Amino acid sequence: MSCRNAFDAAFHCNSLGGQWTSVYREGSVRSCSEHWDDFWFCMRTRAYSHPQKEEAIRAYYRAKEWAKYHAPGRPSSADVWEARTEKIEPGTAFRESLDMPDVSDEEWRRREIERRRQVQEMLSREGRS
C-alpha cells in the first residue's frame, strides 16, 4: 500500500478534472471520502510493525470489498443474471447469424436514437402507472 498513490488518487478525485469526469459520466459530483479514507488509513498504519501492518491492510481491504460487493442491499450481478447449473454444449451459443444493416451509418444512428427514445418513453409511462 502506497500512501503517495492513495494521496494522489484522493487529490485527483477532488480536483476539477476528477469531478468533471464524474459529472460527465454519472451526472453529479462524487464524494471522495473513500479515497481519503484509504490515504488516512495508510498514514495510520505506517508506524505499525510488519506483521501488524500486513494484518491491518488485509482486514481493511476485506472489509472494503465486503461493503462494496456483499453487504445486504447492495446491487449484484446475481440480481440480473442467473448462474448456469450445467455447461452448454460447445457450438450452441451465439449461433444466430448477424445481418449487416442495409442503411448508412447516419440512418442507422437516427433509427437507434428514435428506438431508444421510444424505450425511455415506454419505461417512463410504466413508472407512472
Side-chain angles (χ1 to χ4, degrees):
M1 168 174 247
S2 163
C3 293
R4 180 177 179 178
N5 289 347
F7 178 80
D8 287 348
F11 192 80
H12 173 73
C13 180
N14 274 39
S15 73
L16 181 60
Q19 290 299 334
W20 181 263
T21 301
S22 180
V23 169
Y24 178 77
R25 290 182 180 164
E26 286 118 37
S28 63
V29 294
R30 65 179 167 177
S31 167
C32 298
S33 61
E34 184 177 319
H35 293 288
W36 288 111
D37 289 345
D38 290 348
F39 171 69
W40 289 114
F41 171 77
C42 183
M43 294 301 287
R44 280 192 309 274
T45 59
R46 285 180 63 187
Y48 288 9
S49 68
H50 186 70
Q52 277 183 313
K53 191 175 189 176
E54 273 186 358
E55 185 54 40
I57 290 171
R58 185 178 298 115
Y60 179 77
Y61 280 105
R62 282 182 179 164
K64 193 172 170 177
E65 182 175 328
W66 184 85
K68 184 175 182 179
Y69 297 110
H70 308 292
R74 293 291 303 179
S76 165
S77 61
D79 299 336
V80 178
W81 302 101
E82 292 181 20
R84 292 183 189 226
T85 57
E86 52 197 48
K87 289 185 176 183
I88 61 169
E89 292 296 318
T92 58
F94 308 110
R95 291 183 55 195
E96 292 182 24
S97 64
L98 177 63
D99 298 327
M100 296 305 289
D102 58 351
V103 296
S104 70
D105 288 350
E106 287 74 27
E107 177 62 19
W108 180 87
R109 208 171 283 117
R110 188 191 64 72
R111 289 179 185 179
E112 182 64 13
I113 290 169
E114 178 60 24
R115 183 190 69 79
R116 290 179 184 192
R117 187 193 61 74
Q118 289 174 355
V119 167
Q120 288 294 326
E121 192 175 284
M122 181 188 68
L123 290 173
S124 66
R125 272 189 265 140
E126 287 178 4
R128 285 184 248 144
S129 301

